[in-house]
Amino acid sequence: MIKTKAYAAQSASTALAPFSIERRDPGPHDIQLEILYCGVCHSDLHTARNEWRNTLYPSVPGHEIVGRVVAVGSQVRGFKAGELAGVGCLVDSCGHCPSCGEGLEQYCENGFVGTYNGPAFGGENTYGGYSQTIVVKKSFVLKIRHDEKQLAAVAPLLCAGITTYSPLRHWKAGPGKTVGIVGLGGLGHMGVKIARAMGARVVLFTTSPAKTDDALRLGAHEVCISTDPAQMARLANKLDLIVDTVAASHSLDALLTLLKRDGTLTLVGAPENPHPAPHPFGLIFKRRSIAGSLIGGIRETQEMLDFCADHGIVSDIETIRMDYINTAYERMLKSDVKYRFVIDMATLR
Ligand code: NAP
Ligand code: ZN
């Protein structure tokens, strides 16, 4: 076993603090990474504080992991020691159900294994990226083609990037389509960059007027303050797709009115408490849909990383020390992040 320093929450109400964990020795199909940077996702906070009521403690969050390969198993081809690599939200799945067969491991019919919080509801726990090193099956490790100097800003692509890329691809964002992104946080700012690079017209919806200039700089064609009914009314029936990244419960009715006939509102935000059910008329009269989307499979995550490398896309980040994590969580709750915290793991050594 490999002893590793980490940061863990011991209960829903305790701050994250130093903790020691063990990783398995790399098997023939495993890769061991020295973790250099780990992004801070709002899901880390939901999990550390048991907001989804399924947290296994101690909880070591972190699923936006980038680092350097330090060891590869005897059967591993395609990776060698010294290379950069990434690990996202998944570290295993059954490998034989129809979803796994289509490369959609996140929808594994026998339950995927999360990078942290394992198979929730009773299975074995797993420990995430707020740690020095991790050992992962090769088939769940991603190649990084970005320049090494950008490595910290690549980390958030492993969750925020793929979680927005996947629905944008699935619902065919591209030239001739108008896409709304709701919430300018970690996911939202990646959604703006990626939808723009795909060729769509991008409208960013925010509750924070002070983020307007940033949204335009990040790639939005237009910004709408979602709390202003007049601004919302001007966009009625104009959007083909909306990706809602908001981390808190809110009404969906006003967003539905923005969709064209046959448009789709896709929920990716996963708040502690559910959104109130929308009025059916908002769906019925224009045959609109509400959908959801979960991260993305490994094949699509690699496709997204390559797309971002080709388009020069990384995350806008604030690099933090490991011991700043509890303050970072408080700032995330106040929407005070531009636009993703990334932990420099050298500060844990
Ligand atoms: P984040 O950085 O905190 O961003 C969330 C944004 O939502 C905020 O910047 C803010 O944008 C808006 N917001 C937050 N609280 C709000 C409130 N009370 N009222 C209105 N707007 C509010 O979070 P994130 O890391 O992007 O994650 C967003 C959500 O997606 C979380 O629930 C997370 O768990 C979930 N998630 C889902 C998946 C998936 O696979 N579906 C994957 C990763 C994360 P404005 O200031 O612009 O309004
Ligand atoms: Zn995440």
Side-chain angles (χ1 to χ4, degrees):
M1 295 297 249
I2 304 161
K3 213 169 168 193
T4 308
K5 283 188 195 167
Y7 249 61
Q10 300 292 340
S11 79
S13 57
T14 50
L16 275 76
F19 184 61
S20 181
I21 59 171
E22 287 184 334
R23 303 293 192 186
R24 65 176 182 265
D25 292 317
H29 299 281
D30 286 337
I31 291 179
Q32 183 187 353
L33 280 190
E34 177 196 13
I35 301 175
L36 296 175
Y37 298 99
C38 183
V40 179
C41 180
H42 208 113
S43 302
D44 300 356
L45 188 162
H46 291 308
T47 302
R49 299 187 178 179
N50 199 22
E51 291 181 359
W52 295 331
R53 325 270 192 286
N54 68 354
T55 303
L56 304 168
Y57 292 101
S59 175
V60 177
H63 57 203
E64 294 183 337
I65 298 168
V66 291
R68 194 176 301 286
V69 175
V70 290
V72 298
S74 58
Q75 301 299 311
V76 171
R77 303 284 173 268
F79 283 93
K80 52 181 193 302
E83 280 179 349
L84 300 178
V87 175
C89 307
L90 306 169
V91 290
D92 210 352
S93 68
C94 85
H96 53 73
C97 73
S99 294
C100 287
E102 289 181 56
L104 298 169
E105 298 89 353
Q106 76 276 34
Y107 302 119
C108 173
E109 279 135 60
N110 297 300
F112 66 81
V113 181
T115 302
Y116 60 80
N117 213 40
F121 302 112
E124 190 192 339
N125 201 0
T126 49
Y127 296 129
Y130 296 4
S131 57
Q132 294 174 298
T133 190
I134 190 166
V135 176
V136 178
K137 223 187 208 182
K138 181 242 167 179
S139 46
F140 288 81
V141 179
L142 287 310
K143 288 261 181 202
I144 291 172
R145 286 179 28 218
H146 286 80
D147 193 288
E148 187 167 345
K149 290 198 286 293
Q150 297 180 300
L151 191 62
V154 169
L157 303 183
L158 274 308
C159 174
I162 185 57
T163 302
T164 48
Y165 181 92
S166 186
L168 289 167
R169 270 276 178 263
H170 185 77
W171 279 280
K172 302 185 169 50
K177 297 282 184 72
T178 303
V179 172
I181 303 287
V182 188
L184 196 66
L187 268 57
H189 94 290
M190 291 313 309
V192 167
K193 290 184 187 211
I194 292 170
R196 176 74 187 242
M198 287 176 175
R201 178 170 176 79
V202 182
V203 185
L204 183 277
F205 294 87
T206 182
T207 59
S208 310
K211 293 181 182 175
T212 300
D213 289 348
D214 280 347
L216 296 170
R217 174 180 58 77
L218 292 165
H221 294 92
E222 190 177 341
V223 176
C224 176
I225 307 305
S226 54
T227 48
D228 178 346
Q231 291 192 33
M232 292 289 276
R234 278 200 291 278
L235 288 163
N237 307 313
K238 295 266 193 315
L239 304 186
D240 296 281
L241 169 67
I242 299 174
V243 179
D244 182 341
T245 75
V246 174
S249 172
H250 59 281
S251 167
L252 303 178
D253 290 311
L255 293 174
L256 285 171
T257 66
L258 307 178
L259 291 169
K260 293 179 185 169
R261 191 200 72 224
D262 291 325
T264 302
L265 167 61
T266 298
L267 306 178
V268 295
E272 175 178 12
N273 299 307
H275 304 307
H279 197 293
F281 284 179
L283 299 167
I284 291 170
F285 276 87
K286 293 209 178 292
R287 201 164 56 186
R288 297 169 176 129
S289 304
I290 298 180
S293 185
L294 179 64
I295 44 176
I298 297 301
R299 194 162 65 211
E300 194 173 47
T301 304
Q302 189 63 62
E303 178 188 304
M304 175 277 310
L305 283 167
D306 294 344
F307 176 91
C308 289
D310 290 342
H311 289 82
I313 295 175
V314 291
S315 183
D316 282 34
I317 62 166
E318 178 177 337
T319 307
I320 60 169
R321 293 177 50 82
M322 186 69 256
D323 59 13
Y324 187 76
I325 189 67
N326 296 298
T327 308
Y329 280 4
E330 292 310 313
R331 283 183 53 193
M332 189 149 65
L333 286 173
K334 289 187 256 167
S335 298
D336 175 23
V337 194
K338 289 188 170 176
Y339 278 90
R340 195 58 137 188
F341 292 119
V342 173
I343 305 159
D344 178 355
M345 233 21 98
T347 62
L348 182 61
R349 286 179 224 294

